[in-house]
Amino acid sequence: MKEKEHLDAQEILEKYDRENQFRTSIGKWAWVVTLLGVSLTVFHLYTGYFGTLPSQKQGAIHLGTALGIIYLLFPAKKGMHKLQKKVPWYDVVLAFGAMYVTYHKIFFFDSILKSRITGYSTIDIIISIIGILLVLEATRRTVGVPIVVVASITILYAIFGKHIPTTILSHPGFSVDRIAPNLWYQESGVFGTPVQISAKFIFLFLFFGVMLVHTKIGQFFNDLAFSLTGRFTGGTAKTAVVASALQGMVSGSSVGNTVASGSFTIPMMKKSGFTPEFAGATEASASTGGQIMPPIMGAAAFIMMEYLGVPYSTIMLSAMIPAVLYFTGIFIGTHFEAKRLKIFGLPKSQLPVFKDLMLKNGFMLLPVVIMIGTILSGFTPQRAALLGIGAVFIVSLVRKDTRLSIRKIFEVLEQGARVALPVIAAVATAGIIAGVVSMTGLGAKFASGIIALSSGHLILALFFTMVACIILGMGLPTTANYVVTATVAAPALINEFGLAPIAVHMFVFYFGIVADITPPVCLAAYAGAGIARANPFKTGVIAVKLAIAAFIVPYIFIYNPILVLVDVTPLALVFAIVTSLIGMAGISSAVVGFYARNSFMWERLALFAGGLMMIFPETISDFVGAAILLGIWIIQKQRKDDSSQMNKQVTV
């Protein structure tokens, strides 16, 4: 039975997650993939400890090795990974060709630096064109077509911009001889900030997550969540929320987290009485929130650190309250839905005992604690990741079932590289987009467009930016989406409206992420629906309702950035947190349609308005919102229970 569930989960992953569509049978080339993967991980561990190489050399090894592995693992056509039993000759050529054109930057490092002044040779130009094409193709294979289309359009824009009749977007245009070397050899293109951050920080944190998985901490998180929430109303759904939040801290993948946690939580929710659509939506919305959950968050958070020029601890702390509000909204939503359906908790006899669980497995939390403590102590993310990885290895030695054999260590090292492949390809292509934006001044033009379209009204500018982020997020990975919007849209909001930079960057970060649960292209919701055997579109709609905080809170911290710890005092912060949590209860109850009793439409509208007032950090609005929520509670309490269902305890 477990084997069948594992196969079903893998099938769903392959269907909705492009990065899982790789060849499993590649014959003798498996040794090459293992060698390259292990070498890449060891390289990052070595440079993380002893110091990185110059950014261009570090990035070349990082990207070049990844491209080689991608062409050996990922087929040119979707679905061919199951049919091909060996690596075609042309993919072997592409693999080693990609490695050469990337390593070329290392072999001729000094002469390339001189060429920036004297001009690039014909060979340099040809290599840069081939390199860009190979990056785009590798990205198509691992991530999908949409991001490649966006990057291709920006390149065409750089070439043919002078032919655009619209004066706002037109520019003189550049020749291919100028565009290709600039995107390939300069710091503002393929090997720009996204790839540099990936090579310095992101890879190590992804490997940290792989190490945690192989020490069975994922199962521990599930058991821990089960012991904490299983006995309460709707305990199975609350377990899914807590488990996904814990796993999301170290996974960073919406679809992957949905499948990993959902294989355990979704059948449990269905059996307890939740509809298949609600079960799939709960898991999808909670898993998507993992990318905004400190301490690790998604890979884009590390790029945000570099763009803003602040320590990662600042990003982590600023994201804390919005993340708590996000998960609180989902948690409360499941509570009210359970109250509406009369789904109660599980008997204690069916739940793990928290005390016993902590005594037996509590040591598994040590790596996460060490990593958080290191970041908050002011050390670099590199040092935090390395200490966390070291702690995981030491922790794995405690018990026989988590101890890593020599063969297992090599498997983990290879897996560390494999997990990073889609991220590396995505950030390289995002670098192309950012490079074109820098060359052509597209960012300033886009900013002018937003201002003109919004007529100078902030709320309209925010709305248009939100729509752009969600649309881009339907086709682009979160990291690439963030790079594009942070390069193009964020400067407009910061410079034209004088907003707090960290609030603006969090705004575009959030809306890039929620695209994973926003219909019609909601991959995390589709994955959850696949496991639940539910209607995908309905699952996506319910996921949006549960994750309503992600659509509201960003607007709140733009207008008053106290929620992201800007201009904050301790008393004001505590008051803002308490009122916001109460406000989320009101909004979640409005969305579900249950408060003290089933709510009429006017009551739901009032609850939504009251909750919104309490989230907005103003004293007057807080009191008005509290009065509305209290008034509806009293009205509903005086009304007879309109449910005909009998109270019962559910056994799973």
Side-chain angles (χ1 to χ4, degrees):
M1 183 68 179
K2 286 186 177 180
E3 185 178 348
K4 183 180 183 300
E5 290 176 356
H6 173 74
L7 291 174
D8 289 344
Q10 184 59 37
E11 192 174 307
I12 291 169
L13 263 179
E14 291 178 8
K15 183 176 180 180
Y16 296 112
D17 206 2
R18 188 73 173 87
E19 63 192 67
N20 281 279
Q21 297 172 8
F22 54 84
R23 301 181 183 101
T24 54
S25 300
I26 56 175
K28 60 183 179 182
W29 294 107
W31 289 98
V32 178
V33 169
T34 299
L35 176 62
L36 291 175
V38 171
S39 300
L40 185 60
T41 303
V42 171
F43 166 76
H44 283 89
L45 292 173
Y46 179 85
T47 55
Y49 184 80
F50 291 103
T52 56
L53 303 175
S55 59
Q56 292 292 298
K57 290 184 177 181
Q58 182 85 9
I61 295 174
H62 179 71
L63 177 59
T65 310
L67 291 177
I69 300 173
I70 287 171
Y71 281 109
L72 292 176
L73 282 179
F74 290 84
K77 188 177 180 181
K78 186 176 180 180
M80 292 297 293
H81 62 290
K82 290 185 176 181
L83 301 177
Q84 293 179 339
K85 301 302 180 183
K86 62 180 181 178
V87 182
W89 66 268
Y90 52 84
D91 277 347
V92 174
V93 173
L94 291 175
F96 287 97
M99 292 172 68
Y100 174 77
V101 297
T102 314
Y103 293 163
H104 176 265
K105 292 170 65 72
I106 302 173
F107 301 150
F108 302 97
F109 186 73
D110 293 333
S111 64
I112 289 173
L113 287 180
K114 292 178 183 177
S115 297
R116 295 183 180 183
I117 302 172
T118 61
Y120 295 102
S121 67
T122 303
I123 294 297
D124 290 337
I125 294 171
I126 292 173
I127 285 178
S128 63
I129 294 173
I130 294 173
I132 290 170
L133 292 175
L134 288 171
V135 166
L136 292 175
E137 171 59 12
T139 305
R140 184 191 69 82
R141 294 188 183 199
T142 54
V143 179
V145 173
I147 184 175
V148 177
V149 171
V150 173
S152 301
I153 290 173
T154 59
I155 293 174
L156 292 174
Y157 169 73
I159 299 172
F160 301 107
K162 61 184 177 182
H163 299 297
I164 298 177
T166 307
T167 55
I168 294 179
L169 293 177
S170 63
H171 69 87
F174 303 102
S175 66
V176 175
D177 290 357
R178 180 177 175 184
I179 295 171
N182 272 277
L183 291 178
W184 190 252
Y185 295 116
Q186 301 284 352
E187 279 80 5
S188 58
V190 172
F191 296 92
T193 298
V195 161
Q196 291 174 27
I197 297 304
S198 177
K200 289 169 65 178
F201 306 129
I202 295 174
F203 189 99
L204 291 175
F205 276 89
L206 291 173
F207 182 61
F208 173 74
V210 171
M211 290 286 288
L212 287 178
V213 169
H214 284 275
T215 57
K216 300 186 179 180
I217 197 169
Q219 182 59 47
F220 171 60
F221 281 159
N222 286 340
D223 293 340
L224 189 63
F226 208 21
S227 68
L228 289 172
T229 60
R231 67 183 183 276
F232 298 112
T233 300
T236 53
K238 291 174 180 176
T239 295
V241 176
V242 175
S244 296
L246 292 172
Q247 290 208 36
M249 289 192 303
V250 296
S251 73
S253 169
S254 300
V255 176
N257 196 15
T258 298
V259 174
S261 298
S263 299
F264 163 73
T265 60
I266 290 175
M268 189 170 61
M269 283 187 277
K270 287 174 62 179
K271 195 171 183 180
S272 68
F274 290 104
T275 65
E277 285 76 15
F278 189 88
T282 299
E283 182 57 54
S285 55
S287 294
T288 298
Q291 294 188 68
I292 58 174
M293 184 67 179
I296 296 180
M297 306 168 65
F302 297 95
I303 300 175
M304 187 190 303
M305 169 191 73
E306 191 73 13
Y307 280 175
L308 292 173
V310 298
Y312 184 71
S313 57
T314 301
I315 303 294
M316 189 175 75
L317 292 173
S318 296
M320 184 64 72
I321 297 174
V324 168
L325 291 178
Y326 179 92
F327 282 103
T328 299
I330 301 172
F331 193 88
I332 295 174
T334 61
H335 173 80
F336 284 125
E337 179 70 6
K339 293 280 284 185
R340 187 179 71 84
L341 297 175
K342 300 296 183 183
I343 299 174
F344 291 89
L346 303 174
K348 285 187 177 181
S349 59
Q350 295 187 19
L351 299 173
V353 179
F354 177 77
K355 182 179 178 181
D356 295 344
L357 198 61
M358 291 302 294
L359 287 174
K360 181 181 178 182
N361 297 320
F363 66 92
M364 289 184 172
L365 294 175
L366 186 62
V368 178
V369 173
I370 288 176
M371 191 190 65
I372 295 173
T374 305
I375 292 174
L376 294 179
S377 299
F379 290 95
T380 64
Q382 266 180 319
R383 178 60 57 87
L386 285 172
L387 289 177
I389 291 167
V392 175
F393 181 74
I394 293 172
V395 162
S396 71
L397 300 176
V398 174
R399 288 215 318 260
K400 185 177 181 180
D401 61 330
T402 60
R403 206 169 294 152
L404 300 177
S405 63
I406 298 297
R407 180 174 181 176
K408 190 69 173 177
I409 290 174
F410 277 95
E411 289 179 7
V412 172
L413 290 171
E414 180 188 350
Q415 188 63 27
R418 286 194 180 212
V419 167
L421 297 178
V423 176
I424 297 172
V427 295
T429 301
I432 293 174
I433 300 169
V436 171
V437 169
S438 177
M439 287 178 63
T440 60
L442 181 60
K445 294 178 174 65
F446 189 85
S448 300
I450 287 182
I451 301 305
L453 196 60
S454 64
S455 301
H457 297 294
L458 175 58
I459 186 65
L460 291 177
L462 292 174
F463 176 77
F464 293 139
T465 303
M466 175 193 74
V467 172
C469 291
I470 292 176
I471 291 174
L472 284 172
M474 291 177 181
L476 273 62
T478 302
T479 308
N481 186 1
Y482 169 73
V483 170
V484 174
T485 52
T487 305
V488 176
L493 298 176
I494 295 170
N495 298 328
E496 298 296 332
F497 295 99
L499 302 176
I502 195 165
V504 172
H505 281 259
M506 283 289 180
F507 184 90
V508 298
F509 182 45
Y510 260 63
F511 284 115
I513 289 171
V514 298
D516 283 344
I517 54 170
T518 305
V521 184
C522 40
L523 294 181
Y526 285 176
I531 296 173
R533 301 292 188 267
N535 181 292
F537 188 82
K538 288 183 179 178
T539 303
V541 171
I542 295 173
V544 169
K545 290 180 179 179
L546 286 172
I548 193 67
F551 295 88
I552 296 173
V553 172
Y555 284 91
I556 302 299
F557 62 59
I558 284 288
Y559 281 97
N560 194 330
I562 188 174
L563 293 180
V564 287
L565 306 185
V566 175
D567 299 329
V568 66
T569 60
L571 183 61
L573 179 62
V574 172
F575 190 73
I577 293 173
V578 172
T579 55
S580 296
L581 291 175
I582 297 173
M584 278 312 310
I587 290 174
S588 296
S589 66
V591 169
V592 172
F594 186 94
Y595 193 37
R597 299 281 189 273
N598 286 322
S599 300
F600 297 120
M601 182 54 67
W602 72 267
E603 291 174 328
R604 296 176 70 172
L605 293 174
L607 287 168
F608 192 91
L612 197 60
M613 288 181 180
M614 293 208 70
I615 292 178
F616 194 83
E618 291 290 342
T619 305
I620 295 177
S621 66
D622 289 337
F623 280 111
V624 174
I628 293 174
L629 297 183
L630 181 60
I632 299 297
W633 179 269
I634 293 172
I635 290 172
Q636 291 195 355
K637 273 296 185 181
Q638 291 178 343
R639 192 165 68 225
K640 290 184 178 181
D641 191 354
D642 49 7
S643 174
S644 60
Q645 290 179 283
M646 299 295 294
N647 293 355
K648 59 182 179 179
Q649 189 174 55
V650 178
T651 301
V652 178

